[in-house]
Amino acid sequence: TLSATIGETASWFSHAGGIKTIAAAGRHTIQAHTAAMAVHADKAVSITSSNNEIRILAKGQIVLKAGQSSVTLSGGDITFACPGTFSVKGGGNAFQGPGRGSASLYGLPMGTVVEVPHWIEVERKYYDGSAVQGAPVEITFAGGTIRTARLNEAGFARVEGTPGGLAEIEIGEDARSWTLDDSAQPQANPAYGKRLSEEQAVALFELYTREIV
């Protein structure tokens, strides 16, 4: 009996004569407990069983590949892949004929498609939130169609049944006549052209300052 235990790495190297490991009786076992095992050769690799069988077992997948052709065994599937002709030859085979059945297709909807209606809404207000009333609205579409409307008292207009696509909108001026707000009228300066005392000037300044605040 020969036993050898190595803590890290063990190597066998033969420069010219080769290496043989022979078990005259009993099993010959090579194991890799926690990592992969690789067998490499510059030329052919032969695996021969003189009196029994050869088994190749894998938990997940087995791939046999030569050139561009391969056979893959994965789970319950067997996949043959090749760029050329796939041939099966034998004195007999147990392959069953192809199945037959009609495809059931879902029916297409019947009827005409209703076009989605289009519209344009326009709203115009002043800076203080009040509505621009009665202003004319002109809408020009890409095809040359022109539609007109007028803003209501809320500064709003809606045009129904418009063509789809882009449009250019022009809004005119408020239809009401303009009147100047009384609060915007400039107040006359009571001290204009008069000589005021220091007390009168201070009182006038406080008056205008109080009105502004």
Side-chain angles (χ1 to χ4, degrees):
T1 301
L2 173 64
S3 298
T5 302
I6 297 93
E8 293 186 2
T9 303
S11 299
W12 287 267
F13 174 76
S14 174
H15 178 68
I19 296 176
K20 292 183 179 181
T21 58
I22 300 173
R27 301 181 62 181
H28 188 178
T29 304
I30 301 175
Q31 298 181 4
H33 285 188
T34 59
M37 178 182 293
V39 179
H40 300 283
D42 184 58
K43 296 183 179 180
V45 175
S46 299
I47 301 175
T48 304
S49 175
S50 300
N51 299 314
N52 211 315
E53 60 186 3
I54 296 175
R55 294 186 180 184
I56 301 176
L57 307 177
K59 181 179 180 181
Q61 187 180 77
I62 295 176
V63 179
L64 304 177
K65 185 173 183 180
Q68 299 183 36
S69 302
S70 65
V71 179
T72 303
L73 287 72
S74 178
D77 301 327
I78 301 176
T79 303
F80 297 87
C82 63
T85 302
F86 175 74
S87 302
V88 178
K89 298 180 181 180
N93 63 73
F95 294 131
Q96 297 181 357
R100 176 181 298 179
S102 59
S104 58
L105 302 178
Y106 293 101
L108 297 177
M110 303 295 293
T112 58
V113 178
V114 179
E115 184 178 358
V116 178
H118 297 85
W119 67 86
I120 290 180
E121 293 181 348
V122 181
E123 186 177 24
R124 182 72 182 275
K125 294 183 180 296
Y126 291 107
Y127 69 93
D128 60 353
S130 60
V132 177
Q133 301 180 16
V137 178
E138 183 177 282
I139 306 173
T140 304
F141 297 91
T145 303
I146 298 177
R147 299 285 299 275
T148 59
R150 191 170 290 275
L151 299 181
N152 59 16
E153 295 180 355
F156 178 82
R158 179 184 173 100
V159 181
E160 301 280 355
T162 60
L166 300 177
E168 182 179 344
I169 301 175
E170 294 184 6
I171 303 176
E173 296 182 357
D174 197 312
R176 296 172 294 178
S177 58
W178 288 88
T179 57
L180 189 62
D181 191 354
D182 294 337
S183 61
Q185 293 284 357
Q187 297 183 4
N189 185 358
Y192 179 75
K194 298 180 181 179
R195 181 180 294 276
L196 301 178
S197 64
E198 182 177 352
E199 291 77 7
Q200 291 174 330
V202 172
L204 186 62
F205 174 78
E206 292 178 351
L207 173 63
Y208 281 101
T209 304
R210 183 170 59 253
E211 290 181 355
I212 294 174
V213 174

